[in-house]
Amino acid sequence: MATTPGRLYHFIGIIPTSAEAPVFSYVFQSYEDSPASFLELPGNFGYSELKFYVQKHRAPPKNFAWMTGPGVYYGNMDYSGQSRDVTAESRLLQYPLDDGEKFVPPISMVVTEFHVLLLFPDRLKAMCVLNEQLIFEEVFSPRFGKLLGLCKDTVKGTIWAYTDQSVFKFKVVREARDVWQMYLDKGDFESAKQYSKDNPANMDKVLTKQAEYFFNDKSYEKSAMFYALTERSFEEVALKFIQVEQRDALKTFLIKKLNALKNHEKTQMTMIITWLIELYLNQLGSYRDQGDSTGFTMLQEEFQKFLAQSRVMECLHDNKATAYDLIASHGDVEDLVFFAFLMQDYERVMSHHIQHEDYRAALTVLTKQTKTDLYYKFSPILMQHIPKETVDAWISQGRKLEPKRLIPALVHYDDNRDTEKITEAIRYLEFCVKTLDIKDQAIHNYLLSLYAKYKPHQLMLYLDFQGHNPTMVNFDLKYALRLCSEHDLKEACVHIYTTMELYEEAVDLALKVDVEVAKANANRPEEDDELRKKLWLRIARHVVEEEKDVSKAMKFLHECDLLKIEDILPFFPDFVTIDHFKDAICTSLEEYNQHIESLKEEMNEATDSAKAIRADIQEMRNKYGLVTAQQKCASCAFPLLTRSFYLFPCQHMFHSDCLIAEVLPHLSSSKKSKVDELQRKLASGQYNQQSESSHKLLSQSHGGTDTLTKQDQRDQIKMELDDIIAAECVYCGEIMIRSIDKPFVEPDEYLAVMDSWK
């Protein structure tokens, strides 16, 4: 841009980065053939000034001002390149003059963001470019000299005025403090908000003025949005929209207010949310009455999105009853169900579907939620109408459900004789028993009762699956027996009798069903041969007396090794021919002969064994050991021949007292007492008290006489003592083996031993 006293020229061009001096020749070349565009203003005072406002150092200018004859030509810079003019929103600002003041041309000029400073011969004037009002005037005394010029430091922003004698410094402070008001007066709300964002009070005034502007312009939606951002009374603004019957605007205002509330303002949130629900429901009702399906669908989606907001759900969670009553009062069933889903109130949703006989929808809701209590509550009614789907849902839950609590749903229709329901009930119970391995007796009892009543052919498979161990079956045996008896299921009763170990009753009943079943049950008591024989005799008697089949009875002799021909002969008629059991009698006699021969062999073997034992005893009496003078006691290591001693076949040798000392710790308290007693008798020489067995033994050794000498009595006591302490070697016998896990230090001696090591 270039100026003359009366013209403003524009030169537009591009200077390449690699351009060499003079660089501006690239700009002026395009104007060699055609003159540059210019703006000419009438009247001038022989000079002019062109000044720019730069917002940041080295940044392109934002505004320009041309001081010329008619006034200050001011505008914004336009770098868009959409026209051959680089200025925009330009206008001519008249020089500020007081009333009656004579015009004097200004000497110089400075441009700031919102003001133009004009230097006159005797004063400095500042004019606002927004409202063209004079806002500052500084008169200079002549004693400072003649004013010569005005300039601005583009880096620091200070302004300097100078005379031939002095320099004056001006600092701009908070230039934009009242700019918001000027923009507000002009109706430029966005600019006003930009310059009042640091002052909440001013921002509120701007927003209020903007809201009132749109309200008066009947742009109620926009007005509501801005009213919600102000501090105006909630009730006042709401009434304004109610009075003009603008529900959409009121709804927008309430939503904006709701979003601005803090989380702790529960009461206000609840009030606004409830009001919004009422507005939505009223509008939905209007659309429904008008038959506007498109508008109804769009508004319903908007309403459901509003209800699904996390803040709304959190607030309504504690006020569900109010919301339910409000929605129900408008008869909006669809949104009532949607809201119940949001609140996870599946019980209400299912009750609604069941009330409208939409059982499959109710089951769908049931399977999507995770509360098992609802299964127990609604399963009875669902089993009445959709048993297969209901059982499928139960099976899909697996172990999450307690089968015992579903029994009421199963027995609810038991007497209706509905084949499908009974089949589905059995299917679920079989799943519990076979897949889930449920042991609950109630489940097994009910499954058994259904088998007995409706599917007796599957009952035996179930009983076989349960087995014959009474401690392992999961049903009540007595209940099962009574149930099977009522339905005349004899084979099942036989199985249960056997499980209860009532084998006689089982065989008696089995004989009424099938002899083969009776024979299988007769072999059950494997460890009780007497009972097994008794059961087989009952079967044989039945075959002979009831079936009159002698040959069949004779086959039992081969099937049961406990039966003999003489056992079943009493059951035959008096005049039966011997031909039927001649072979059996011969076989029996042969077996007896073989048995007699085996007994003879056993007797011979026993005689030979007795002779061998007597020979061994005699040999033991004559057995001796050689002890030298150098042999020592295995316990005390002193010479063995110094006092009485014991010599064992293992060649361990002990003094008598050393052996007693070694053996005593391993004896029971009663044997210890016995050893002490025998030692006292030997020491005192009193031998009167004798045990009956020892007395008889010594009497026999003395030819049967009852008179015993003191030596005999002493020998008797020593024999008793030897039996206790010298029965086996203390180092090689069972005593040593039993002492492996015995601690080296007894528990009651532990502390004393530990102290001895300190």
Side-chain angles (χ1 to χ4, degrees), residues 43 119 155 208 218 335 461 607 643-644 701:
L119 184 66
V155 177
T208 302
K218 296 186 179 181
D335 288 316
L461 296 176
T607 302
R643 55 185 184 271
S644 60
S701 65

Side-chain angles (χ1 to χ4, degrees), residues 300-356:
Q300 188 178 50
E301 291 179 359
E302 180 184 342
F303 178 44
Q304 292 180 354
K305 288 180 180 178
F306 167 74
L307 292 176
Q309 293 179 16
S310 57
R311 297 186 72 194
V312 175
M313 290 175 59
E314 183 180 354
C315 179
L316 291 177
H317 191 270
D318 298 327
N319 301 277
K320 289 189 289 188
T322 302
Y324 281 134
D325 294 342
L326 192 59
I327 299 174
S329 65
H330 286 264
D332 194 343
V333 177
E334 187 175 353
D335 288 316
L336 183 66
V337 173
F338 177 81
F339 177 68
F341 257 113
L342 289 178
M343 295 291 103
Q344 296 184 352
D345 192 355
Y346 301 111
E347 182 175 352
R348 184 182 292 268
V349 177
M350 292 188 63
S351 298
H352 166 76
H353 288 314
I354 289 175
Q355 186 177 1
H356 290 79

Side-chain angles (χ1 to χ4, degrees), residues 648-659:
F648 291 96
C650 60
Q651 298 304 311
H652 281 127
M653 309 171 191
F654 299 91
H655 291 130
S656 299
D657 54 341
C658 293
L659 181 60

Side-chain angles (χ1 to χ4, degrees), residues 204 224-235 237 250-262 265 268-269 271-272 276 311:
D204 186 67
M225 293 178 63
F226 291 111
Y227 266 129
L229 301 175
T230 67
E231 299 296 330
R232 291 287 292 273
S233 169
F234 176 86
E235 295 82 358
V237 176
L250 177 60
K251 188 170 62 179
T252 302
F253 171 71
L254 293 175
I255 291 174
K256 282 288 184 181
K257 275 293 185 183
L258 176 63
N259 294 334
L261 291 175
K262 303 291 189 300
E265 296 175 315
Q268 295 89 328
M269 289 175 62
M271 182 194 70
I272 292 177
L276 282 168
R311 297 186 72 194

Side-chain angles (χ1 to χ4, degrees), residues 369-550:
Q369 57 87 42
T370 57
K371 297 179 179 178
T372 56
D373 288 343
L374 295 183
Y375 279 90
Y376 308 134
K377 181 174 182 179
F378 290 100
S379 288
I381 187 67
L382 294 176
M383 278 295 291
Q384 286 284 341
H385 300 88
I386 47 172
K388 184 180 184 305
E389 292 84 348
T390 304
V391 170
D392 289 340
W394 292 351
I395 293 175
S396 66
Q397 293 297 310
R399 296 187 181 276
K400 296 179 182 178
L401 298 178
E402 297 180 33
K404 187 175 181 179
R405 298 183 63 181
L406 292 172
I407 290 180
L410 299 172
V411 302
H412 189 70
Y413 59 84
D414 192 4
D415 295 332
N416 293 342
R417 306 287 176 169
D418 191 309
T419 305
E420 181 185 3
K421 297 173 184 176
I422 294 170
T423 302
E424 294 303 322
I426 292 176
R427 181 164 72 95
Y428 179 68
L429 293 174
E430 288 177 341
F431 168 77
C432 294
V433 171
K434 297 178 181 179
T435 304
L436 301 183
D437 195 23
I438 299 297
K439 305 296 185 183
D440 192 283
Q441 191 178 82
I443 296 297
H444 286 266
N445 285 347
Y446 188 57
L447 176 60
L448 189 143
S449 68
L450 291 179
Y451 280 149
K453 293 179 182 178
Y454 306 111
K455 295 189 176 182
H457 60 283
Q458 295 186 10
L459 178 59
M460 287 309 300
L461 296 176
Y462 169 76
L463 293 177
D464 291 337
F465 173 75
Q466 289 292 306
H468 289 89
N469 189 339
T471 61
M472 299 298 293
V473 296
N474 298 304
F475 55 87
D476 187 335
L477 290 168
K478 295 181 179 178
Y479 169 76
L481 182 61
R482 183 174 68 253
L483 192 68
C484 294
S485 299
E486 290 176 356
H487 293 84
D488 196 26
L489 302 173
K490 292 184 174 63
E491 190 174 356
C493 291
V494 170
H495 186 286
I496 297 170
Y497 274 132
T498 305
T499 306
M500 298 173 70
E501 298 182 355
L502 301 175
Y503 301 108
E504 296 184 29
E505 290 82 352
V507 170
D508 290 341
L509 185 60
L511 291 174
K512 299 178 181 179
V513 179
D514 188 358
V515 174
E516 294 300 323
V517 175
K519 288 159 61 176
N521 284 277
N523 284 323
R524 294 289 181 187
E526 298 177 354
E527 298 180 358
D528 192 344
D529 290 343
E530 183 178 352
L531 177 59
R532 194 150 60 94
K533 181 178 180 180
K534 183 179 180 181
L535 297 176
W536 275 99
L537 288 174
R538 289 193 179 203
I539 299 173
R541 183 170 187 171
H542 170 80
V543 171
V544 173
E545 295 181 353
E546 301 295 332
E547 299 184 8
K548 310 297 183 181
D549 192 343
V550 176

